[in-house]
């Protein structure tokens, strides 16, 4: 069955993940308030095409609590969706395996990439291309197992995320084992 959770806003999930991460990571940065304000102001140019990259200024307890509330709502929607299914299958990445792209520079702790990645013939922001499928479940806390499902014509691996119900990790691993028996896509690397 091809379906997605009703009312689950992936764009909001990306932003919520970014904001929570920024407030948790940023709270440990030995950064002066002016530098944080500068990251917020000037960094908007870099963030406009990457909803995952967020800088919250000023980072207050109320803003943090608001993002945690949004996270709880997204968790609840995903939990209700998975009540009707054993697992959710979704991509790991927007493309098959690719060579690492070094950053063009850094803005504070954040890596900056000027060049996007080609996804279906269009350039997509590096952060969006790399983390949009995985950060959703990092945010909600649903267990995920990644397994190969095939290869490209060039022999590059293609994976799938198998997402399970929260607190049902062992059941998820059983499903992954069953899928692996059907798909048989794992190829032992030469020399191992």
């Amino acid at each position: 069955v091809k379906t997605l959770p009703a009312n689950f806003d992936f764009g909001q999930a990306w932003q919520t993940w970014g904001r929570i991460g920024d407030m948790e990571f940023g709270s440990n940065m030995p950064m002066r308030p002016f530098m944080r304000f500068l990251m917020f102001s000037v960094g908007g140019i870099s963030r406009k095409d990457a909803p995952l990259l967020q800088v919250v200024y000023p980072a207050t307890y109320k803003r943090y609590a608001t993002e945690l509330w949004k996270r709880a709502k997204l968790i609840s929607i995903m939990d209700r969706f998975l009540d009707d299914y054993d697992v959710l299958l979704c991509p790991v990445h927007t493309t098959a395996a690719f060579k690492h792209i070094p950053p063009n520079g850094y803005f504070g702790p954040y890596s900056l990439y000027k060049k996007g990645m080609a996804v279906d013939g269009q350039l997509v922001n590096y952060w969006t291309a790399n983390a949009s499928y995985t950060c959703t479940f990092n945010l909600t806390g649903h267990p995920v197992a990644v397994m190969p499902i095939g290869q490209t014509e060039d022999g590059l691996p293609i994976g799938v995320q198998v997402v399970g119900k929260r607190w049902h990790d062992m059941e998820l691993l059983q499903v992954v084992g069953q899928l692996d028996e059907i798909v048989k896509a794992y190829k032992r690397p030469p020399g191992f």
Side-chain angles (χ1 to χ4, degrees):
V1 176
K2 184 177 180 180
T3 186
L4 288 172
N7 302 320
F8 192 93
D9 185 340
F10 285 89
Q12 182 187 42
W14 297 339
Q15 291 178 350
T16 300
W17 178 83
R19 289 178 184 141
I20 290 172
D22 175 65
M23 286 187 272
E24 290 178 352
F25 184 68
S27 69
N28 292 314
M29 296 295 296
M31 199 176 290
R32 291 198 161 83
F34 177 74
M35 183 61 177
R36 185 115 177 108
F37 174 74
L38 190 62
M39 284 179 64
F40 174 75
S41 301
V42 177
I45 296 165
S46 299
R47 294 188 309 270
K48 71 178 170 36
D49 297 325
L52 303 164
L53 297 179
Q54 298 288 319
V55 175
V56 180
Y57 183 83
T60 64
Y61 175 76
K62 183 176 180 178
R63 287 185 174 180
Y64 184 64
T66 298
E67 296 306 320
L68 292 178
W69 179 85
K70 290 176 186 176
R71 176 182 178 260
K73 185 176 174 184
L74 291 164
I75 290 170
S76 178
I77 293 169
M78 189 63 70
D79 283 346
R80 282 194 308 272
F81 172 76
L82 286 169
D83 282 343
D84 296 329
Y85 301 96
D86 293 326
V87 294
L88 170 66
L89 301 178
C90 65
V92 177
H93 197 271
T94 54
T95 66
F98 63 95
K99 289 186 177 181
H100 173 67
I101 300 171
N104 296 96
Y106 294 90
F107 191 76
Y110 300 103
S111 305
L112 300 177
Y113 297 88
K114 291 181 183 172
K115 184 179 176 188
M117 291 185 64
V119 177
D120 294 333
Q122 302 223 353
L123 285 181
V124 175
N125 175 277
Y126 180 83
W127 286 107
T128 302
N130 275 300
S132 58
Y133 289 115
T134 55
C135 79
T136 301
F137 306 109
N138 291 337
L139 175 71
T140 65
H142 289 82
V144 175
V146 174
M147 62 177 284
I149 58 165
Q151 294 181 337
T152 66
E153 291 176 0
D154 299 332
L156 295 174
I158 300 172
V160 66
Q161 289 187 97
V162 185
V163 183
K165 298 173 185 171
R166 288 182 320 134
W167 320 119
H168 292 260
D169 301 48
M170 297 312 293
E171 291 92 333
L172 171 65
L173 293 175
Q174 288 176 339
V175 171
V176 170
Q178 293 168 349
L179 288 172
D180 185 54
E181 285 295 316
I182 296 166
V183 176
K184 297 188 186 301
Y186 176 75
K187 306 285 187 231
R188 186 177 303 277
F192 287 91

